[in-house]
Amino acid sequence: MTTRRTRRRGGARAIVLALLCVLVAVPAGSGATPDAAAAPDVAARPNVTQGHYVGTFNIYGNIGHRGDAGDWIEEEADAIRNLRRGGMDRWLFIGLQEVCQAQGERFARELGLRSAFIDTGTDCVDGQPYGNAILFHSATKILPPALLPNPDNRGGERGIICAVVRAAGDRGPSGPQVTACSTHLSAGVTKDREREAQAAFIRHGWKPDGTHTLGADGPLVIAGDLNAPPDAPELDVMYDGVEASGPRGSGPPFAFPTYEDGRKLDYLFVWGERGAARWADTGTRPTIYSDHDFYYSELSMGIG
């Protein structure tokens, strides 16, 4: 069992951006039958596609686990697989943060998924590349990753990795596609301006193809640890989208806290131009293996 420890802040280093989009083909999940209740009835929601779950999880992979990709990942994967009826076929994608490369790869294998990884230039304590990962069934495209703005050049780089993904079993050209991203903004009480610049870059500044901003060609889902509570001004631009736990003022103090001290720091945002997107069955799953909860919700995309 790994005990929780204080998060590391700072530690300037020379930064190298390396794209490590690792596509890992693995067999389907185990098919274990969960005890959770069935998903909401989509038939009661006209003009809405079948919902699929999206999740985000800061796995505490370096400071908490020192790069270890051992059996704790199998335990976490089993818990995720059994979280909702239908197993991994009900999941669209999962974003991981604070990931050492081998950890992201093992999560993918255990869940029967593929993965893409961005190395943000900081090594884990065992020498592995460190960054963010995204797990999915299939992808028509892996977008070129990006480092986020780091105006003071201190505290380590942050990045974003995105893929255009499809649901399980949906390989046809007319099937819905979603641009799915995993990101991690800077941490610290003095980093609000930096987080503001990073959020603005993601929402309006980044052009992965050199011409169009992220999500310009269809639905976009951002999963990540944004290191700020919902009322933080630096997240204003993110709330142009629809967040899985609802409006900023929902809940006392906010719905679905995700960090061990009771704050909400992890988010699922959706933007799109194909009709209304709806979140349902939002929840968190605490774990002894991270200082963050696994945060998830069912996403249904409008089709009319």
Side-chain angles (χ1 to χ4, degrees):
M1 180 183 300
T2 301
T3 58
R4 296 177 175 180
R5 290 173 241 177
T6 304
R7 296 168 61 96
R8 180 176 61 186
R9 314 284 189 190
R13 320 185 33 162
I15 302 300
V16 177
L17 172 62
L19 170 59
L20 294 172
C21 288
V22 183
L23 297 180
V24 184
V26 290
S30 67
T33 302
D35 295 328
D41 182 10
V42 177
R45 292 177 275 164
N47 297 323
V48 176
T49 61
Q50 168 68 45
H52 287 86
Y53 283 91
V54 176
T56 189
F57 188 22
N58 181 325
I59 70 169
Y60 205 31
N62 186 30
I63 298 302
H65 296 283
R66 303 180 66 82
D68 172 52
D71 290 343
W72 70 274
I73 293 179
E74 181 181 3
E75 291 184 35
E76 292 285 9
D78 285 345
I80 292 169
R81 183 184 301 106
N82 295 332
L83 192 60
R84 286 296 179 264
R85 185 168 296 166
M88 293 314 298
D89 283 353
R90 290 296 313 281
W91 291 82
L92 181 62
F93 80 94
I94 296 171
L96 302 179
Q97 302 86 42
E98 292 196 29
V99 182
C100 302
Q101 186 180 1
Q103 296 168 336
E105 292 171 351
R106 179 155 187 188
F107 261 104
R109 290 195 303 272
E110 295 290 346
L111 291 171
L113 300 176
R114 299 170 182 262
S115 68
F117 174 82
I118 179 177
D119 175 3
T120 55
T122 302
D123 290 339
C124 294
V125 293
D126 62 355
Q128 291 184 66
Y130 173 83
N132 305 319
I134 187 168
L135 314 181
F136 49 85
H137 290 280
S138 66
T140 59
K141 183 190 303 182
I142 307 294
L143 302 185
L147 292 181
L148 303 183
N150 183 12
D152 62 12
N153 199 31
R154 293 186 294 111
E157 294 280 6
R158 302 297 170 114
I160 183 169
I161 180 70
C162 302
V164 181
V165 303
R166 296 181 186 275
D170 188 356
R171 306 291 194 272
S174 62
Q177 299 183 93
V178 175
T179 299
C181 302
S182 175
T183 194
H184 189 191
L185 304 191
S186 294
V189 295
T190 66
K191 294 286 190 173
D192 52 345
R193 293 293 180 89
E194 186 162 301
R195 286 189 294 272
E196 181 178 17
Q198 292 169 345
F201 173 79
I202 291 169
R203 187 69 185 104
H204 298 301
W206 183 31
K207 298 179 179 179
D209 65 358
T211 303
H212 303 96
T213 56
L214 183 65
D217 58 351
L220 165 68
V221 181
I222 301 289
D225 173 5
L226 304 188
N227 272 314
D231 59 347
E234 58 262 40
L235 298 190
D236 286 353
V237 68
M238 303 298 286
Y239 274 93
D240 287 347
V242 181
E243 210 281 318
S245 63
R248 280 172 147 176
S250 60
F254 297 103
F256 301 105
T258 61
Y259 190 55
E260 63 180 358
D261 64 4
R263 289 179 292 162
K264 175 177 171 59
L265 299 181
D266 302 86
Y267 296 83
L268 297 168
F269 282 101
V270 62
W271 296 272
E273 299 176 350
R274 298 182 183 176
R278 305 186 187 184
W279 295 104
D281 198 25
T282 303
T284 60
R285 186 188 68 81
T287 173
I288 62 172
Y289 291 116
S290 177
D291 52 355
H292 287 250
D293 294 349
F294 180 79
Y295 178 54
Y296 64 91
S297 190
E298 182 201 29
L299 175 65
S300 300
M301 301 300 298
I303 58 174

